[in-house]
Amino acid sequence: MDKVKLAILKDIIRGLDSTVVAFSGGVDSALVAKLCYDLLGERALAVTASSETYPSYELEAAKRVASEIGIPHLIIQTKELEIKGFSSNPPTRCYFCKSELFEKLKELAQQEGYKNVVDGANLDDAKDYRPGSQAAQELEVRSPLK
């Protein structure tokens, strides 16, 4: 990432004031979480959703990465298999799981006094079919990497 893009990204994150980060522990959400923590400190919270569809090794990796960043990290439970339409495995299944995730994160943010919810979606994601992006848009989840 060049210096100009990084400076723009930092300005976007500073403008969030406080935020919950949808944190998978992958590269993109880790970058967002790191910058949020560096720039917002305790006004940033990483949240990982654990469910029957999320492998335990990925959850452990997310815990490890959050710990390395230093960001406060919360694990919440989601139940994708109980969402009507998800278990039949339609092409839009990601919309259902992201809707549930983002609804829970928005509720948590509101309860705990965080002003925003962000994810690690990036500009390259717009090139692919990503039904979860619609859920993010509907629920006003910000994507600073975009």
Side-chain angles (χ1 to χ4, degrees):
M1 179 175 296
D2 68 39
K3 290 181 182 184
V4 173
K5 287 181 182 178
L6 182 58
I8 292 168
L9 179 57
K10 286 181 176 182
D11 284 344
I12 290 168
I13 290 171
R14 280 187 200 98
L16 296 172
D17 185 58
S18 61
T19 192
V20 168
V21 180
F23 185 71
S24 68
V27 173
D28 296 328
S29 69
L31 173 61
V32 171
K34 172 74 170 137
L35 289 172
C36 286
Y37 183 63
D38 287 352
L39 299 168
L40 303 175
E42 296 298 316
R43 295 173 303 162
L45 172 67
V47 179
T48 302
S50 178
S51 73
E52 58 278 274
T53 64
Y54 193 61
S56 60
Y57 67 88
E58 287 188 19
L59 179 60
E60 293 308 312
K63 289 178 185 178
R64 185 182 68 254
V65 172
S67 176
E68 290 170 3
I69 291 170
I71 191 169
H73 185 217
L74 182 65
I75 313 283
I76 63 170
Q77 297 297 313
T78 56
K79 299 195 177 293
E80 285 89 359
L81 295 178
E82 293 178 12
I83 300 170
K84 184 178 180 181
F86 179 83
S87 60
S88 63
N89 203 26
T92 56
R93 70 190 166 279
C94 189
Y95 172 81
F96 298 114
C97 66
K98 291 290 187 178
S99 290
E100 180 186 22
L101 170 64
F102 294 147
E103 285 172 5
K104 286 182 180 253
L105 295 183
K106 293 289 280 195
E107 183 179 306
L108 174 68
Q110 186 175 35
Q111 289 172 353
E112 300 297 323
Y114 293 92
K115 292 186 178 180
N116 294 282
V117 174
V118 298
D119 69 6
N122 64 59
L123 197 53
D124 283 344
D125 293 337
K127 297 174 187 174
D128 296 328
Y129 177 62
R130 302 255 179 170
S133 295
Q134 181 183 345
Q137 185 176 26
E138 290 172 0
L139 293 163
E140 299 177 337
V141 172
R142 308 263 317 258
S143 301
L145 295 178
K146 284 187 176 179

